[in-house]
Amino acid sequence: MEEAWAQVQDWQILFPVASAKPSTLARAAAKEAGGTLLLSEDFQDGQVLDGVRFANPFATDDLGALLGA
């Protein structure tokens, strides 16, 4: 369990978590948090909405390139 918790903490350092607020209903959480890339397999890959690009991390063989690394 400790190893899993440590992994979660590492991911939170790399990818800050945006908390939902009442204004989140009116604005996307990723945009509100200042994000420009949202990784999800649930949205159209490559779609850009209000400056936030949606990318399916499972649709690429080069995740580093997707993240700009």
Side-chain angles (χ1 to χ4, degrees):
M1 185 69 160
E2 289 180 36
E3 184 177 331
W5 180 243
Q7 184 65 45
V8 168
Q9 290 176 319
D10 287 346
W11 278 96
Q12 287 179 330
I13 291 168
L14 291 172
F15 304 104
V17 176
S19 299
K21 303 176 205 166
S23 63
T24 303
L25 294 175
R27 298 180 64 194
K31 177 70 175 179
E32 189 170 302
T36 58
L37 176 65
L38 184 100
L39 299 178
S40 175
E41 63 180 321
D42 296 327
F43 295 97
Q44 182 181 0
D45 186 44
Q47 180 179 12
V48 178
L49 181 61
D50 199 18
V52 177
R53 181 169 56 106
F54 297 89
N56 182 345
F58 302 110
T60 183
D61 291 330
D62 190 355
L63 191 56
L66 180 65
L67 298 174

